[in-house]
Amino acid sequence: MSPTEMISQENYEPGICKIDPWLKPFAPAIKRRLESYKKWVKEINQNEGGYDKFSRGYERFGLNVLPNGDIIYREWAPNAVAASLIGEFNDWDRSKHPMKKDSFGVWEVHIPAKNGIPTIPHNTKIKISMTTSEGECIDRLPAWIKRVTQDLNVSLAYDAIFWNPPQKYQWKNNSPKKPTSLRIYEAHVGISTNEGRVGTYNEFTDNVLKRIKDLGYNAIQLMAIMEHAYYASFGYQVTSFFGVSSRYGTPEELMRLIDTAHGMGLYVLLDVVHSHACKNVLDGLNMFDGSDHCYFHEGGKGRHDLWDSRLFNYGHWEVLRFLLSNLRFFMEEYRFDGFRFDGVTSMMYHHHGIGTGFSGGYHEYFGDTVDEEGVIYLMLANDMLHKLYPRIITVSEDVSGMPGLCLPVEEGGIGFDYRLAMAIPDMWIKLLKEQRDDDWDMGNICWTLTNRRHMEKTIAYAESHDQALVGDKTLAFWLMDKEMYTHMSDMTPLTPIIDRGLALHKMIRLLTHGLGGEGYLNFEGNEFGHPEWLDFPRAGNNNSFHYARRQWNVVDDDLLRYKYLNEFDKAMQHLEEQYGWLSSPQAYISLKHNENKLVAFERGNLLWIFNFHPTQSFADYKIGTEWAGKYSIALNTDRKIFGGHDRIDESISYHSQPHEWDGRKNYIQVYIPCRVALVLSHC
């Protein structure tokens, strides 16, 4: 490097520091990250031929069938001193198919075809048998295996399956256009049935996709797809990273689900777990080659104390190949449209977020507590995905508020498209648990909903799967509790508790949708106030499926009040599709009146008015607006079809007056009943 280049490098200021000048004192740390990232990219380009080849590890590792029917199996297991492929095809005989090891610790065996037909039959069991450097003989499931199954009549452990169906899935639909306003329906295939059992890919395709489309969502986030040994882990204890859960059906049936969703114009995101791995040995990656440190850090650094799981060594070449190839595999093989990365906080900090609060001080994001290797991996993953798939969407689950998380890597960011607004559901639950409606602070609510980093997109949500799990309550359950069992029928009196619950359930979701971010998320069933909690079969509930299902029957029953909440959610999503407020600039809030419990703001060419007061309605209330003209009602939470009282005449138009009010150039006067929200369009 020339002296001129060195001076230029020293004076270089990452783009993130120009966006947020408060980051300038931390520019050296940001530049160090960038240099580490660039070093990895350079080495990948020089040694592997770039992202494209490096991230196709699944075409080299694992079991791959050649055009002539031969099978080549490769596995990285540096601690092993001997290895062989065993299975039903060779009567589990360790002497029949020994493997050879190269200087990088990669084992390989070539299995010739018989008359052009693979020697290993489709849908038969296999394992890799190894001898460790300590002389121990161990059997493992191949790390890159694409299908594993479980027979509980035989063992809790999974079996590796050689999956090579004679008929490959024929894709019918192209991927849809990338949505500008992201409305995500978070779903779990296994619980998506009324019945007390595990649901299937086919049932989800045939029964649930049409519900999602009808509601107006444009993306699905699928949970618990990567194979996990323990169903009750909600999919977050992954054992086979390249296998899709066999509980729900075959790989081809998942392909059909995604293909059908694409035909409906729906993006499909995978909830990907690269933050940790299940500690299982017999059917997981733990102790894969007999060592403590094959894919993971050794000792305490490689263990998550709270999750009781193993932590990846993101600084190792082969671990990077494995994880980046895992992302590429799901994009290529299953045609996912993006990922929601779970547990990003754990990946970015040595303390993994355990027992640590984040004050928002920038020193917390660039000090010794930051796991630079984890951060660099996320930068590489996002960079690779966005370069290879410009239409991809990546979402981060992070509670720390890391600056630049959703800015491009080349600007010093980490490269995600969106971050989840995890403080919003916490706020709503805290309000419902601890405060009377009269004590709600409109200013604090609006501040939490709008407190997000400039130019970094956020996905807002009132509640997700976290709030639905046993031990917590959904918003509907906090609002209506035991009366959901007795008074959700139109044949019963509308009690004050149910009336309040229906009204606030709609208003909370609408305010979150309008103010909270550049995307919106809902967990399946919560849109209609799903009764009860979510609890998977486990010893503590006698392995019951009673709470591990979605009771679609209650929303389909025309006599029950769940239908009102469902209709409102549908109207809200379709209105966003029409006006696109999620892709509009952040709202201008003109009114936050604590005594009257009123909020008003402008966003997406719409005027939003909320009256959270439990008893006080207001006639001819002045609402400031920047736009002159005639206003009409686009959405009214008090409509009968939404379980309201029809107190507003929607045939009336509202005409602005050219006088300043609440800092806006004009005002209109409206009747706004208690616990009602209005969204007005203008012309």
Side-chain angles (χ1 to χ4, degrees), residues 14 18 50 98 106 127 142 167 178 187 213 253 325 349 355 358 360 396 417 521 542 547 630-631 681:
K18 297 174 184 176
V106 176
K127 283 185 180 181
Q167 295 297 322
K178 183 177 180 178
K213 177 64 176 177
E253 288 165 350
S325 296
Y349 301 94
F358 291 91
S396 166
D417 295 295
L521 179 142
N542 295 318
Y547 297 109
K630 184 175 74 171
Y631 287 75
S681 62

Side-chain angles (χ1 to χ4, degrees), residues 621-645:
Y621 200 95
K622 288 184 178 180
I623 301 293
T625 175
E626 196 69 7
W627 309 308
K630 184 175 74 171
Y631 287 75
S632 57
I633 293 175
L635 187 62
N636 166 20
T637 64
D638 200 41
R639 290 173 184 163
K640 278 282 188 184
I641 194 175
F642 304 148
H645 300 283

Side-chain angles (χ1 to χ4, degrees), residues 575-591:
L575 190 67
E576 200 290 323
E577 175 68 21
Q578 182 180 353
Y579 285 92
W581 62 74
L582 290 173
S583 56
S584 300
Q586 189 159 308
Y588 181 90
I589 305 174
S590 59
L591 178 65

Side-chain angles (χ1 to χ4, degrees), residues 16 182 184 340-341 344-345 348-349 365 393-407 414 416-422 424 451-461 516-521:
I16 187 175
L182 190 60
I184 300 174
R340 179 262 200 190
F341 281 72
V344 167
T345 306
M348 294 194 300
Y349 301 94
Y365 307 120
I393 291 175
T394 60
V395 180
S396 166
E397 187 218 28
D398 168 46
V399 299
S400 75
M402 171 68 78
L405 190 67
C406 299
L407 287 176
I414 298 177
F416 286 99
D417 295 295
Y418 296 86
R419 69 199 316 155
L420 293 174
M422 302 182 75
I424 294 176
N451 180 30
R452 52 189 185 269
R453 294 192 59 80
H454 180 55
M455 294 183 68
E456 297 192 42
K457 292 189 287 188
T458 295
I459 291 175
Y461 56 107
E518 291 72 38
Y520 179 79
L521 179 142

Side-chain angles (χ1 to χ4, degrees), residues 219-258:
I220 308 168
Q221 179 180 298
L222 288 179
M223 306 176 63
I225 294 297
M226 302 168 75
E227 191 60 270
H228 48 292
Y230 186 40
Y231 188 47
S233 74
F234 222 149
Y236 293 121
Q237 291 279 345
V238 176
T239 44
S240 293
F241 282 76
F242 288 83
V244 298
S245 185
S246 58
R247 289 181 181 87
Y248 320 134
T250 67
E252 289 69 31
E253 288 165 350
L254 174 59
M255 293 173 190
R256 174 177 173 259
L257 186 163
I258 296 168

Side-chain angles (χ1 to χ4, degrees), residues 199-455:
T200 68
Y201 294 125
N202 281 339
E203 289 171 331
F204 192 94
T205 303
D206 297 336
N207 304 327
V208 182
L209 285 182
K210 58 188 177 184
R211 293 180 183 271
I212 299 170
K213 177 64 176 177
D214 182 61
L215 283 167
Y217 291 87
N218 56 19
I220 308 168
Q221 179 180 298
L222 288 179
M223 306 176 63
I225 294 297
M226 302 168 75
E227 191 60 270
H228 48 292
Y230 186 40
Y231 188 47
S233 74
F234 222 149
Y236 293 121
Q237 291 279 345
V238 176
T239 44
S240 293
F241 282 76
F242 288 83
V244 298
S245 185
S246 58
R247 289 181 181 87
Y248 320 134
T250 67
E252 289 69 31
E253 288 165 350
L254 174 59
M255 293 173 190
R256 174 177 173 259
L257 186 163
I258 296 168
D259 194 12
T260 306
H262 285 168
M264 294 179 173
L266 299 169
Y267 248 49
V268 186
L269 309 179
L270 174 67
D271 195 350
V272 69
V273 185
H274 282 183
S275 48
H276 64 131
C278 179
K279 70 175 184 179
N280 284 16
V281 173
L282 294 180
D283 54 7
L285 289 180
N286 191 18
M287 306 290 289
F288 180 74
D289 63 356
S291 72
D292 188 39
H293 54 270
C294 186
Y295 285 93
F296 312 108
H297 288 292
E298 61 183 331
K301 188 178 180 181
R303 287 169 170 78
H304 196 292
D305 295 335
L306 193 62
W307 296 340
D308 193 25
S309 55
R310 297 304 312 270
L311 298 172
F312 286 106
N313 180 357
Y314 300 111
H316 196 287
W317 191 270
E318 292 302 330
V319 176
L320 275 184
R321 186 199 307 276
F322 182 83
L323 294 176
L324 292 177
S325 296
N326 190 227
L327 298 172
R328 188 79 189 276
F329 172 77
F330 281 111
M331 293 296 295
E332 291 289 330
E333 188 81 1
Y334 290 97
R335 301 194 184 182
F336 278 96
D337 302 293
F339 302 97
R340 179 262 200 190
F341 281 72
D342 179 69
V344 167
T345 306
S346 177
M347 300 172 75
M348 294 194 300
Y349 301 94
H350 291 299
H351 53 63
H352 309 298
I354 301 174
T356 303
F358 291 91
S359 66
Y362 281 5
H363 65 282
E364 297 171 333
Y365 307 120
F366 303 101
D368 294 338
T369 60
V370 175
D371 186 338
E372 294 288 346
E373 290 180 346
V375 171
I376 300 304
Y377 164 66
L378 292 170
M379 294 170 72
L380 290 167
N382 276 299
D383 188 47
M384 181 267 290
L385 289 170
H386 286 89
K387 279 187 167 63
L388 295 175
Y389 307 99
R391 51 178 293 279
I392 199 170
I393 291 175
T394 60
V395 180
S396 166
E397 187 218 28
D398 168 46
V399 299
S400 75
M402 171 68 78
L405 190 67
C406 299
L407 287 176
V409 171
E410 56 269 20
E411 293 185 6
I414 298 177
F416 286 99
D417 295 295
Y418 296 86
R419 69 199 316 155
L420 293 174
M422 302 182 75
I424 294 176
D426 292 343
M427 174 196 70
W428 289 124
I429 295 296
K430 186 177 177 66
L431 283 175
L432 294 175
K433 285 173 66 174
E434 300 177 4
Q435 293 189 18
R436 301 180 309 138
D437 297 1
D438 291 319
D439 298 329
W440 286 16
D441 187 316
M442 297 296 106
N444 283 342
I445 290 172
C446 291
W447 183 84
T448 300
L449 287 168
T450 56
N451 180 30
R452 52 189 185 269
R453 294 192 59 80
H454 180 55
M455 294 183 68

